[in-house]
Amino acid sequence: MVQNKPTRRGRPRTYDPDQAMARARDLFWIQGFSGTSLDELSAATHMNRPSLYGAFGDKRAFYRTVLENYREKMRDDVRVALDPDIPLRQALSRLYALFIEIYFPQDGQPRGCFMISTGVPEAATDPDVRDLMADTFRGFDRMLEKRIARAVAAGELAADTECATLAMIANSVVGYIAIRSRLGESRETLESFAAATVDHICGMATPQDG
Amino acid sequence: MVQNKPTRRGRPRTYDPDQAMARARDLFWIQGFSGTSLDELSAATHMNRPSLYGAFGDKRAFYRTVLENYREKMRDDVRVALDPDIPLRQALSRLYALFIEIYFPQDGQPRGCFMISTGVPEAATDPDVRDLMADTFRGFDRMLEKRIARAVAAGELAADTECATLAMIANSVVGYIAIRSRLGESRETLESFAAATVDHICGMATPQDG
DNA sequence: TTTATTTTGTACCATTTCGCAAATAATCCT
DNA sequence: AGGATTATTTGCGAAATGGTACAAAATAAA
């Protein structure tokens, strides 16, 4: 991620920027932007405040960087899940499995979606965050719509399928799962709903495993 | 809402508790719980801090009260929208219109859903909020499922309709609209999506206005 | 070895934040 | 009128917060 030139002047860093970002992200994820203090960020990243400031700018810039970083990673993962060379049913199953895996981390409490739980609240007061979020979500819509259109072209779905609407619905369900996971709904329940949604979109006709 | 006994001992209040709650709610709505200070709440409600404290307890208790109050009002409004004596198509149209009206206030910026934008983030650190939110959202699911089941019984939908899944999808779409409205998506776009969702759920066969 | 460069660690500052104590004011009850 | 009750107002204070100045430390280049 961060290019580490072989020869680097000055005193070497004692921290790994990527790892620091990950720790900060996890903190923001649970506590939100305003709910997380620089002291907590400093402790979690093992960087003292001046180092934090030097590396990532002020708190707001730090959060934006974390958000942007997270967006890029998610976009890549979604692209992989929506593989155009597998059946739509399987692609959607992968997509929901991907998100559920993120919303229910192995260690730690269920946390929902980083962008919904922290970015959406901040969007009302931070135009940069709002624009980044809007762009990200529209991108997901587009990716899903294209993927569904491909399924139509492949004869998996009826020719008169409204791809855009279906894409938004599929996306909506991701949001539902994100929210409910943070509110304590069981993973099993949400997995069942995801499966039911896949059935709903792809039709019950040809059930096959993802 | 608040019972105002005709005879009330002591110095009378100079504020209206309901109005104070509304002002506080609007502040929390935009800035979130942690992002809103007692000074701002004090200014918005025209109550100085000790009065706030005396009336609603500390900041956290105040937020919980506002959230609970909001939940009750929404539950009533949804119940009205989902009138069992009108066609499902019309009921769903009313439901989405209700939410869109809330997410796009006449005065002020688009703000999305109060519960999603403030309650969901807080749910990870405040068990009371989490339980209240979970209960609220499950309640919406149940109301929608019952309403859809009624439409099935009335012959508006196929007998083998999966009411629970459809209810969750309908609910998911509300969340999508809530999020997107806060991210700057146009009201028209979201109204179109709502209409398309209603068509999707009720079938394109008998289009009729809500 | 010296110098330039970069990061770290300590300490500090100004401001904000939450909460409360204590005195004052306005009303009801007797 | 006087006491009881409830609200308001002023002002305090301890703690937390975001941010920074400055010197020490660690490395590469010269």
Side-chain angles (χ1 to χ4, degrees), chain B residues 2-4 8 11-17 55:
Chain B
V2 170
Q3 50 182 342
N4 208 353
R8 192 173 167 78
R11 180 173 179 168
R13 293 180 179 133
T14 62
Y15 61 91
D16 172 21

Side-chain angles (χ1 to χ4, degrees), chain A residues 3 19 22 24 48 51 60 98 125 149 155 157-158 168 171 174 201 207:
Chain A
Q3 49 185 345
Q19 191 169 5
N48 42 37
S51 292
R60 182 138 249 133
L98 165 67
T125 52
L157 294 184
M168 290 192 276
N171 208 335
V174 175
I201 291 176

